Amino acid sequence: MSKTIGILGCGWLGTPLAENLLERKFQVLGTTTQSNKLPLLTAKGIKAFELYVAEDKISGDLNTFLTNLTVLIVNIPPKLRGPNPQNFTAKMQLLLKAIGALKLKVIFVSSTSVYGNVDGEVTEDTPPNPVTESGKQLLKAENLFRNTPNLDTTVVRFGGLIGPDRHPINHLSGKRDLTNGDEIINLIHIKDCIRMITLILENNWWNITINGVCPYHPTKKEYYTQEALKRGLQIPVYSQNSSKIYQKFIKSRNFPYYNEGFYTTIQ
């Protein structure tokens, strides 16, 4: 396959992904919304572009970024929280209007939030039923890409993302009266996210959906207590929850290496 990959969104996940692909001799173009990050990306060997996808326009040189690409990785978070939430679906519609006539292979980075509240095992065959606004807009965006004829789109639905500088225990530490302690975790380490995307590229796994969640599912109370003790942090305190607890554990039927393919522990 062609070795030219474009990453739309070189942030927490996109930048180390680009570095990994460069090590594997791919040519990598990447975008950022911050001009001060351009020299940082360039120094890593990434051909960097300042590009911003809004609801009503795309700022930056999108045409040059897309030139000669055969694979586009769409890695833009919905950003529906905060004082200035945006319509993520509208942003993806605008992006597709710009790239829809091109013949591209696309990896769309999504989330397991599209499954909503469900009990038991969840695979790619489970019908999505999102309950959050983020999940609803991500699902709409997934379908927009899938239904664009010129694109071969693979959707990767990641669970909660963790890494060396990012872990839920850092903001859960010391909190009291948490009510979701009996729920189970569905997390994935950034290194395994990168490995999954790289395997998709190297094996040409197109026009499928793949769940990305580490096959380790203790309860939140068990897991975050253990993580707090390990780090010397205050243990989060969980109270009894009288409402319905959804024991959703997510696995992948479409990732051939699921049982042995997660190399980075989340423990």
Side-chain angles (χ1 to χ4, degrees), residues 30 39 41 68 92 98 107 112 123 146 150 160 171 196 200 240:
L41 297 177
N68 298 323
M92 294 301 98
I107 297 176
T112 55
T123 73
R146 285 195 191 96
N150 291 335
H171 70 263
M196 290 185 75
I200 291 168
Q240 191 65 34

Side-chain angles (χ1 to χ4, degrees), residues 3 39 77 111 118 151 220 251:
K3 293 285 188 177
S111 163
V118 61
L151 305 180
K220 291 183 176 180
K251 67 176 296 183

Side-chain angles (χ1 to χ4, degrees), residues 9 35 42 48 64 89 104 114 169 219 239 249 263:
S35 58
T42 301
T64 301
T89 306
L104 283 172
V114 301
I169 190 56
T219 67
S239 59
F249 67 96
Y263 290 168

